[in-house]
Amino acid sequence: MADASAIPLNPTLTQRMASLDQGQRMRLALGIVLFVAIGIVGLVMGRQAEWRVLYANLADKDGGAIIAQLSQMNVPYKHSEGGSAILVPADRVHDTRLRLASQGLPKGSVAGFEMMESNRFGMTQFQERLTFQRGLEGELTRSIQALSSVQSARVHLALPNQNGFFREQQKPSASVLVSLNAGRSLDRNQLSGIVHLVASSVPEMSPSAVSVLDDTGKLLSTPVDGVNGVAGGADAQQLQYVQQLEQLYSRRVLDILEPIVGRQNVKAQVTAELDFSQTEQTSESHKPNQTPDSSAIRSQQLVESTNGAAGGPAGVPGATSNQPPAPSAAPVNGPAQALAAAGGGAAGATASTKRESIINYEVDKTIKVVRAGTGVIKRLSAAVVVNHKSTTDERGKTTTTPLSDQQLEKMTALVRETIGFNQERGDSVNLMNAPFAQEKITLSELPFWKQPELQDLARSFAWPVGTLLFGVLVLMGVIRPALKALTRSSGAQRSNQLDAVVSEQTERPLLPAPRRSNEPQGPTQSELALDDARKLTRDNPAAVASIVKTWINGEAPA
């Protein structure tokens, strides 16, 4: 008979695992591995850095160079959908950009004057000239792409070969093709800036020789007349000026009427007809003849001549005959008068004197040149609609009533004064009072599970909650049944050990216990087992004491 102390009553984990079958051990190992993997994935996804765009819309050449450099710098990266952008962790965006910029990345798909650095030995003059032209085109392209509205650009230069034997040298020209960003446009000033940028970068290039096109083939630069330098027809700048003027007058009308009728109760539109024709007028006017005192003398000529023999002294001697003649008092435009003789009649008969005086006066002349300015207002037309007046009673009911004729007349006068109404110019103002149509906007309420805020919150908690649920599923579906099987195996092993201890005793016939009068007929199984244990204690107390001692000390029986 084997000793009862040699049977282990407290088996170790290894013994418990050995008591399981192969299928149970595989399920338990698989559950533990899955649970650990789920924990690691949840930890990694929880600590994963946010990705930000490092560079977008790169050329293939630049993208490959940047990816190669990121690999050398040990910077994690990934591509966005379609490969149009390179993403790096958010906390390393600025540092990575600075480090790549120190190495000249991205270079851009357009090469500039750095092409001249790779000139090889034996390059012909034509090749050197072509390389210079390509470098100049690249530099101009980079400058144009620096504009916020331009996505990409291409510049084509036509540089004729200058030859000193030709008397008339050909002038250079250029064409610029721009691709604009979505929803952006180039205004007149930006187009002029691009044209003058290209024209100023090439010697002897005129701004009229530069053409700017967009990616749809539309000519953006206005063709210029080579004689007067005036654009033919209405250009975009004139149309833009008309729109700005109309918006200005409309805003004035709204500003004067909104405080009276309310912000949303008035609508105004102003149409302006402008004259962009350029006229020049020259006029020359002459004033009538003026008096000699007020006229300006331009030139004066006096001619005096004397004919005949010179006679001796004549006349009465004395002081009277020796006085000089008095000045002439003849008018400027009057008839000529005969000259009086200084001496007596005998002397006048022998000599004649002739005197001529020519005086030229300035003629008044006024030359006036008038050049009419462009953009002169020819006619203004204003259309204004005012909503009915709305009133709310004590019960909260809203009613609308039309405005009175007196109020409409006052508003019409205000509009006329606001736009500078001129009846001679043909201006017109039409103000109408009508009820505005109320649009009923029905907002369909989204279910709470379709609201954007809830969806964003669900996306943020998707990984943690999903990982937790999957871990609980593995724990309850795989690990827990395996642990239960391990516990059942341990309990069964203990029961077998106790049975083995009991079976080591001498087999004795089971005698029925004495029955009492008040007990039910037939003992139960537990009563029989308890009676067997009591009987074993009475018959073999040493074995029972050894078993109890082993249980208390937790030692394996020898």
Side-chain angles (χ1 to χ4, degrees):
M1 181 181 297
D3 190 3
S5 61
I7 301 174
L9 296 179
N10 189 15
T12 61
L13 181 61
T14 305
Q15 294 175 351
R16 294 179 181 180
M17 293 293 296
S19 63
L20 299 176
D21 57 3
Q22 185 176 2
Q24 293 176 347
R25 288 196 297 268
M26 290 294 294
R27 287 194 296 270
L28 180 60
L30 180 61
I32 294 174
V33 170
L34 287 177
F35 191 76
V36 173
I38 292 172
I40 295 175
V41 170
L43 182 62
V44 171
M45 294 302 297
R47 298 182 59 185
Q48 186 178 8
E50 183 181 0
W51 295 90
R52 294 289 180 85
V53 177
L54 179 65
Y55 292 110
N57 299 324
L58 290 174
D60 296 339
K61 184 177 180 180
D62 285 340
I66 290 176
I67 289 177
Q69 192 62 34
L70 291 178
S71 301
Q72 295 180 3
M73 296 163 55
N74 295 325
V75 176
Y77 66 90
K78 66 178 183 179
H79 300 281
S80 64
E81 296 181 0
S84 59
I86 300 177
L87 308 178
V88 296
D91 55 346
R92 306 187 66 175
V93 172
H94 302 290
D95 180 64
T96 306
R97 285 181 180 174
L98 293 177
R99 294 174 64 182
L100 291 175
S102 63
Q103 300 179 6
L105 293 176
K107 296 181 179 179
S109 59
V110 180
F113 280 135
E114 62 268 14
M115 299 176 60
M116 303 295 295
E117 300 176 358
S118 60
N119 290 343
R120 61 184 184 275
F121 181 75
M123 180 179 293
T124 62
Q125 184 179 4
F126 174 76
Q127 293 176 345
E128 183 178 359
R129 179 172 169 271
L130 183 60
T131 304
F132 172 77
Q133 180 176 346
R134 291 179 57 191
L136 182 58
E137 292 175 351
E139 294 294 335
L140 291 174
T141 300
R142 290 178 179 177
S143 301
I144 296 174
Q145 288 179 353
L147 298 177
S148 59
S149 301
V150 179
Q151 180 180 5
S152 61
R154 293 193 66 183
V155 179
H156 303 278
L157 298 178
L159 304 179
N161 188 14
Q162 301 296 334
N163 193 336
F165 293 101
F166 291 110
R167 294 183 179 179
E168 295 182 0
Q169 300 288 350
Q170 296 181 359
K171 300 297 182 180
S173 59
S175 299
V176 181
L177 177 64
V178 294
S179 297
L180 304 179
N181 293 318
R184 304 296 295 272
S185 61
L186 293 176
D187 56 13
R188 196 67 184 174
N189 295 330
Q190 291 176 332
L191 286 175
S192 300
I194 293 176
V195 171
H196 285 81
L197 172 67
V198 177
S200 302
S201 302
V202 181
E204 299 183 1
M205 178 179 288
S206 174
S208 60
V210 180
S211 301
V212 182
L213 293 83
D214 60 1
D215 51 1
T216 61
K218 179 182 177 182
L219 182 63
L220 301 180
S221 59
T222 305
V224 179
D225 189 2
V227 179
N228 298 324
V230 179
D235 56 1
Q237 187 176 6
Q238 295 176 357
L239 297 178
Q240 184 179 5
Y241 176 72
V242 173
Q243 293 177 358
Q244 292 177 355
L245 189 62
E246 292 176 350
Q247 292 175 2
L248 176 62
Y249 281 112
S250 300
R251 186 70 259 171
R252 286 182 179 180
V253 174
L254 294 178
D255 291 342
I256 200 65
L257 293 182
E258 281 180 352
I260 302 175
V261 298
R263 185 175 182 83
Q264 299 296 332
N265 294 325
V266 59
K267 301 295 181 182
Q269 291 291 335
V270 177
T271 303
E273 296 181 8
L274 303 182
D275 185 11
F276 291 100
S277 60
Q278 296 181 357
T279 59
E280 182 176 350
Q281 181 181 2
T282 304
S283 62
E284 182 177 353
S285 60
H286 298 271
K287 293 183 179 180
N289 295 334
Q290 301 178 1
T291 61
D293 297 336
S294 60
S295 300
I297 298 176
R298 181 176 60 182
S299 62
Q300 183 178 4
Q301 183 179 3
L302 180 61
V303 179
E304 184 176 357
S305 61
T306 302
N307 297 326
V316 180
T320 304
S321 60
N322 294 329
Q323 294 294 330
S328 176
V332 176
N333 298 327
Q337 296 181 0
L339 296 177
T350 58
S352 63
T353 303
K354 182 181 180 182
R355 179 181 298 176
E356 293 181 359
S357 177
I358 300 175
I359 301 175
N360 296 322
Y361 295 93
E362 291 288 349
V363 179
D364 290 338
K365 181 176 65 173
T366 302
I367 300 176
K368 181 171 63 175
V369 179
V370 179
R371 292 185 178 89
T374 60
V376 179
I377 299 177
K378 296 175 58 179
R379 186 173 181 272
L380 289 177
S381 300
V384 184
V385 180
V386 181
N387 191 13
H388 281 182
K389 183 179 180 181
S390 60
T391 56
T392 304
D393 55 8
E394 297 179 354
R395 298 180 180 179
K397 183 179 179 181
T398 303
T399 58
T400 59
T401 57
L403 299 177
S404 61
D405 295 339
Q406 185 179 3
Q407 292 177 338
L408 293 178
E409 290 179 0
K410 292 181 179 180
M411 292 183 183
T412 305
L414 287 177
V415 175
R416 289 178 178 176
E417 294 296 332
T418 301
I419 66 173
F421 180 82
N422 189 354
Q423 188 175 2
E424 297 178 356
R425 195 171 52 189
D427 297 347
S428 63
V429 175
N430 188 3
L431 191 144
M432 184 181 67
N433 181 222
F436 286 5
Q438 300 294 334
E439 296 182 1
K440 296 182 179 180
I441 302 176
T442 57
L443 299 177
S444 59
E445 296 183 359
L446 294 176
F448 70 94
W449 65 84
K450 291 185 178 181
Q451 295 180 0
E453 296 82 3
L454 186 60
Q455 291 182 356
D456 294 339
L457 183 63
R459 292 190 188 98
S460 61
F461 285 99
W463 270 106
V465 175
T467 304
L468 180 61
L469 293 178
F470 192 60
V472 171
L473 181 62
V474 173
L475 180 63
M476 301 299 294
V478 180
I479 299 178
R480 185 180 179 185
L483 293 178
K484 286 184 177 180
L486 183 61
T487 304
R488 287 195 302 267
S489 176
S490 176
Q493 186 176 3
R494 289 182 180 181
S495 178
N496 294 335
Q497 290 175 356
L498 183 59
D499 294 341
V501 172
V502 175
S503 63
E504 289 180 356
Q505 306 300 328
T506 304
E507 295 181 359
R508 295 181 178 86
L510 183 60
L511 300 176
R515 298 178 180 176
R516 299 178 182 180
S517 59
N518 57 353
E519 291 182 356
Q521 298 294 330
T524 61
Q525 187 70 21
S526 60
E527 292 176 350
L528 294 177
L530 183 59
D531 293 340
D532 293 339
R534 290 172 180 173
K535 187 176 180 181
L536 176 63
T537 304
R538 291 192 300 267
D539 296 343
N540 194 355
V544 175
S546 177
I547 293 173
V548 174
K549 182 179 179 181
T550 303
W551 289 351
I552 294 174
N553 296 332
E555 298 176 355

